[in-house]
Each structure stands twice: as structure tokens, then as C-alpha cells.
Amino acid sequence: FSSLKGKKMKNNNLTTAIINNKELILENTNITTIGKGVYNNSSTAIFTMNGGSITSNSFGVENYVAGSSFTMNNGTILSTAAETIVNRVGTTMTINDGTITSNTHAALWQSGQCCNYNTVINVNGGTITGYNQGIYSNYFTILNISGGEVSNTHTTISADNSVIYSYQYVRVNITGGKIYSPNSYGIYNPYGEVYYNIQNAVIDTYADGLNIRYNSLVIDNTEITVRGDYSGIWDGRENVTVTNTTIKS
């Protein structure tokens, strides 16, 4: 068990500021590194961030080994040149609050492995801002969003620049929160089965609010606002159910 409180750490080497193999708690501690911020390197690695900051040219946090996890309750994480928080196969990240930003890539990124859906992102709150994508999730992963705001900042209108970009056997459950893209798309599925269950959410975009192509969508009690000459929902699949939803396009 390690606890860092009220510390400053600066790493000028192309390595990792902290390699965690057990339990790490970060409070009111500032980490600046040109390598990775915190690297969870074992199945027992648990990292909890209650405050402070991580600024990195690489990943701010990486869950590398199956079974490892990261929970963010407050604080700030910035990546200036990569994805900010990364989930590898069989890992979990939970964002309860705080500010997460990537200047060049997706803020949250995960990719799983066939066929057990044990790679998971939970977003319960906070402000998550990516460049091309807010959240990238693919290949037997689960994405749960119940609160907070997820956005992107890329100025080019392209489906590749979507706030939530998911494909190949992903389960997306949104029960609250806001999806915001001032310049591009909201939720995009280019190919591969993705199951969407969206309730009590706000989707505010310039291009398509949802551009989804394969498997199923259930959407209820959601407000979709599209500010450009695009669609609220562009559907290329067979199974869609929309109830109690307002679409302004």
C-alpha cells in the first residue's frame, strides 16, 4: 500500500513516473512526466486518485495487466501527446469526478479480447475532453456512462472525430450525462456489432447525434440537438426503438 499526499514529482526521462504493483492512493500530489504517469503492472494493482494532477506526454494512466483497476474521484489528468487513460484486456477504469483531457487523441481508450466482456469503462461524473474522440471503445468491451460530460475538440467534420467511437462487439449503456461535439459527430459505430441502451441523456452536436450501423439501439427520454445540416439519428441497422425522446435537427 502506498499513499502520496501533498507531493510534487517531476520525471524528465522517457520512462514511467510510477509503476504500481499493489495499491496506490494519490491525493494533492502533482506528477509531471514526459513518459507515462502511472502504470498498473500486476493483477493486484489498484490505483485511486482523490486529487492532485498528472501531466504526461504519454498515457496519464495505463491499466496494463488483467485485473488491475483505476478509480478517479477528483483531480486533473492531461496527456499532451497520447491517450489520457488506457484500459488493456481485462481491466477496469471508473471515473467519478475530475477533469481528463487529451490534446491529441482520445481521452479514454480501451480494447478487449474475445469473448468475455471483462474490459470496462465506468463514467459516473467528471469532465472528459478528447481531441478526435472523447472515448474510444472496441472489441468485447463495456462502456457505462451515468453522468458527467464527454466531448471532443477536433475542428474537422468527420465520423472518425466522434465523441464516442465504438465498434466490434461493444455494449454501450448510457443512463445520464452529456455528449457534446461543437464541430463534429456524437456517437459513431463504423462496423461490427454494438448494442446501445441510451436513457436520460443529452446529446448536443454539430454533425449527426448518432450515426450507428450494426445491431441494436434502444433510446428513451433523451434530448438530441444537432446544430448543423445533419441528422439526429442516422440508422443503418434493423433494430431501433426510440421513445420519449426530443430531436432537434
Side-chain angles (χ1 to χ4, degrees):
F1 170 80
S2 297
S3 179
L4 295 178
K5 183 182 293 188
K7 303 293 184 180
K8 290 184 179 180
M9 180 180 298
K10 189 171 184 179
N11 175 29
N12 292 321
N13 297 316
L14 290 173
T15 56
T16 301
I18 298 175
I19 297 175
N20 179 40
N21 289 296
K22 195 65 176 177
E23 184 174 358
L24 170 68
I25 298 175
L26 192 72
E27 296 183 5
N28 302 320
T29 296
N30 301 316
I31 297 172
T32 302
T33 177
I34 60 175
K36 298 175 183 178
V38 176
Y39 181 81
N40 279 337
N41 193 42
S42 78
S43 61
T44 59
I46 300 171
F47 172 34
T48 302
M49 185 172 181
N50 294 326
S53 67
I54 300 172
T55 301
S56 170
N57 286 8
S58 181
F59 308 142
V61 178
E62 183 178 10
N63 287 326
Y64 186 73
V65 177
S68 63
S69 66
F70 169 58
T71 300
M72 185 172 183
N73 295 319
N74 214 329
T76 301
I77 307 178
L78 167 66
S79 174
T80 60
E83 292 82 1
T84 311
I85 306 174
V86 169
N87 262 359
R88 304 296 182 184
V89 175
T91 66
T92 301
M93 73 171 83
T94 299
I95 312 302
N96 294 320
D97 205 349
T99 301
I100 301 163
T101 306
S102 174
N103 289 346
T104 58
H105 291 73
L108 308 183
W109 185 101
Q110 69 173 353
S111 184
Q113 177 178 293
C114 183
C115 299
N116 50 18
Y117 292 96
N118 64 351
T119 307
V120 181
I121 291 175
N122 300 307
V123 177
N124 302 317
T127 302
I128 298 163
T129 307
Y131 179 59
N132 54 340
Q133 296 135 15
I135 301 175
Y136 173 100
S137 183
N138 92 301
Y139 205 55
F140 292 94
T141 55
I142 296 176
L143 171 60
N144 300 315
I145 300 174
S146 63
E149 179 175 313
V150 186
S151 65
N152 65 352
T153 59
H154 205 297
T155 58
T156 300
I157 301 171
S158 168
D160 288 339
N161 301 325
S162 298
V163 178
I164 297 176
Y165 187 101
S166 55
Y167 65 99
Q168 287 188 314
Y169 309 105
V170 180
R171 298 173 182 172
V172 179
N173 304 301
I174 301 175
T175 57
K178 182 176 181 178
I179 309 301
Y180 177 55
S181 180
N183 306 304
S184 197
Y185 289 70
I187 297 173
Y188 178 56
N189 159 228
Y191 63 90
E193 295 182 3
V194 179
Y195 300 85
Y196 294 94
N197 184 0
I198 302 173
Q199 305 173 47
N200 306 316
V202 173
I203 301 172
D204 187 338
T205 63
Y206 182 84
D208 293 348
L210 297 97
N211 188 305
I212 48 182
R213 298 167 185 266
Y214 301 97
N215 229 323
S216 68
L217 165 68
V218 176
I219 185 166
D220 178 61
N221 196 35
T222 290
E223 180 179 312
I224 303 170
T225 301
V226 176
R227 302 183 184 279
D229 188 17
Y230 291 85
S231 301
I233 300 174
W234 191 98
D235 166 41
R237 64 183 71 197
E238 296 180 0
N239 305 311
V240 175
T241 302
V242 180
T243 57
N244 305 312
T245 291
T246 301
I247 301 174
K248 300 175 184 178
S249 179

